[in-house]
Amino acid sequence: MSEFPKSARVVIIGGGAVGASALFHLAKAGWTDCILIEKNELTAGSTWHAAGNVPTFSTSWSIMNMQRYSTELYSGLAQEVDYPMNYHMTGSIRLGHSKERMQEFERAKGMGQYQGMDLNILGLDEIKNKYPFIETHDLKGALYDPSDGDIDPAQLTQALAKGARDLGSEIIRFCSATGVSRKNDEWIIHTTKGDIRCEYVVNAAGYYAQRIGEWFIPYGGRTVPMMVMSHQYLLFEEVEAIKDWSTEMQHKLPLLRDVDSSYYLRQEKFGFNLGPYERTCRAHWAQPDDPMPEDFSFQLYPDDLDRLEWYIEDALARVPLLGEAGVSKVINGPIPYAPDGLPLIGPMPGVPNAFEACVFTFGIAQAGGAGKVLSEWLIEGETEWDMWSCDPRRYTNYTDHDYCVAKGMEIYGHEYAMHFPCHEWPAGRNKKLSPAHDQIVKKGGQMGAYNGWERANWFAHSTDDISEKTTQTWERNGPWEQRIKEECYAVRDEVGVLDLPGFSRFDIEGKGTAAWLRGRIAGSLPKIGRLNLAYFADTRGRILTEMSIIRHSEEKFTLITAASAQWHDWEIINKASSLNISVTDTTEKLSTLIVTGPKSRNLLEKIGTDADLYLPWLSHHKAKVCGKPCHLMRVSFAGELGWEIHTDVENISTLYKKISDAGAKPFGMWALNSLRIEKGYRAWKGDLSTDYSLLEAGLSRFIKFDKKEGFPGKAALEIERQHGSKKQFVSLIVEAGKCDAPYMSTLWKNDQIVGETTSGAWGYRTNSSIALGMIRSDLASAGTEIEIEIFGDRHKATVQPEGSIWDPMNERLRA
């Protein structure tokens, strides 16, 4: 028996498929001094009872990347590590009952083609040809993925584990982690067999991840945002007709997903496996009378089939052959869920050298890609693909227990739901409210959640149909369209007001602050009394984040960033605190009103202010508005004359009433999105992400190559500048029809893929559909005509001159 190790570079807690994949990928990258500890046998948690489906489908670009990588890895893993595996690449048929579902499939097909996947749309005859036992009379079509299939979860985990061991990594089974402590900038992992010192620790504990996460709270952590669902699937006895067909065809039936009815049906040997995601779902370990046990290894919940009755009947009608078999076994086990159904992969918020790879709802499909992503994050500090969709820092302090349970049940019950652009999910709302919230709702505000903050998306009239049914569309037309137009016109012709709670803001001051900031941003700092945009790059010159920098004095600044970026950007800025620079998060203390439009100056004068409203664009100063102390910044994301009014939270309600009573028209986030796209203003984690460099994103004017201070990514950007960027940011006017281009729509030229959109919307001031995107550099010249694929149809689009489509000389901003 080998001696228990005392130290390692990385300790991974949790021996499921994800933990084993992380260990394997670290070892492949040369980090072999890593240890995985598991309190029982490998696969004892959710991996043990997982169905083992391996889809590539997603409408998230990063999740599709991750799942595609998994299929590519698994197809050659048995040979690579010399371990036998049952991996069946059967293909899958995803059934569509409606025009809207087929549009979703068309979008996924375009994304998959861009990633090199062979997704196809099937007609009814083609469905029947691939799956002869199906009833198709009520279908519109299907999406076919030849790379889909299923794998034995235990064999997958053991193969990954063998590969890691063969490369020199260590796995310790039947060894429970009992806690952590920190000493001399190292972690000490306490276990039932002894302590292990390590540089990095990874929480890959599956449905126990929240319990493990509590150990890190004394070191800056938080409660892991998750809950646990009961998921059942049924195994059916052998069916003679399936046996005969499979024997003759020499392969299994494609995996069938009836996504509108919400279940999957796959061939299991010569029988069936039916897995519903039912609306009448059940959370486990969510109430005091149902506590999580200390150990649930290799255990299941009791059967609970009553809630599956409708889904079983629907599957029997879809594939009548299913009725010839009895149920041989019911699997009912725990599946962890994050509030948006996506896993947590990346840095543990607030905790040094701690990472998460947990809360995987589809852990088998995503394990391969997750191991790749996590190993990159540990070794390089950055990932090949932008992984904000899975970054643990995407949640902040609003994810309490009730929220996580409500959202988890909502996601599970709508696992295959279409995420329409104008639909808002109702669970877990009103976590953070502006003081003006009641006024806004009374005025017809239709609210959306932004990092937990409630903001108005648009303002409805009393006669508008605001039912959920109206939002079940990909088209721009809806009761909101006329209202958004009116809001945009008010900002264009008069004055509008937008209540904007939740801006992330950090005050930073002290000796050396200016020098520290200059060494972090690509460009220059503003002068005292001025503000500007600044970009932080990673070592590759890719866009880490964008912040507005407001300079108060030589060494005192306020940095403002997106609401969703609060914890992400805090980790960037808080690094200055190690140099005795004061860094304070004032997000909760202050809030913002945007007052913008050609008559905004007149309105502010009318309601009473001692502000100098003729200071130039991009200036700021302290003043009183209606007797309330405010900080006015002359800037407008809408691209019109205007100000951001920043003030203490308690002043917002009074100011909002005074401004709206004086004639400012309330407008919402959807109007703001339309207005900013017309100006070519980029949005974080759409147009601005680590998928793109600053030069690709058209941000060269924010890079100061000749400043004496270096900054992260400077060397990479200098090389790119010398050799030229392969792709370039452009604005496009699109002959779009009823739908505007969604994120990651494919750009085509001469039947070749030449780029992708990063955002799109209708511009009401320009009366045109506009897309922002990345295109092959040789096609980035103004006037170039290309095509954009929007839900399966290609539409003519024309590259616009560099700069803004609306008010290209910024005359309205500077008025």
Side-chain angles (χ1 to χ4, degrees), residues 9 23 26-35 164 166-170:
R9 177 177 275 182
L23 189 72
L26 286 167
K28 282 185 71 173
W31 280 31
T32 55
D33 184 17
C34 301
I35 295 172
D166 289 348
L167 290 167
S169 297
E170 189 168 356

Side-chain angles (χ1 to χ4, degrees), residues 290-307:
D290 181 25
M292 176 180 280
E294 284 300 314
D295 191 355
F296 202 69
S297 300
F298 298 113
Q299 296 183 55
L300 296 171
Y301 303 130
D303 299 352
D304 190 8
L305 294 179
D306 288 348
R307 67 180 201 245

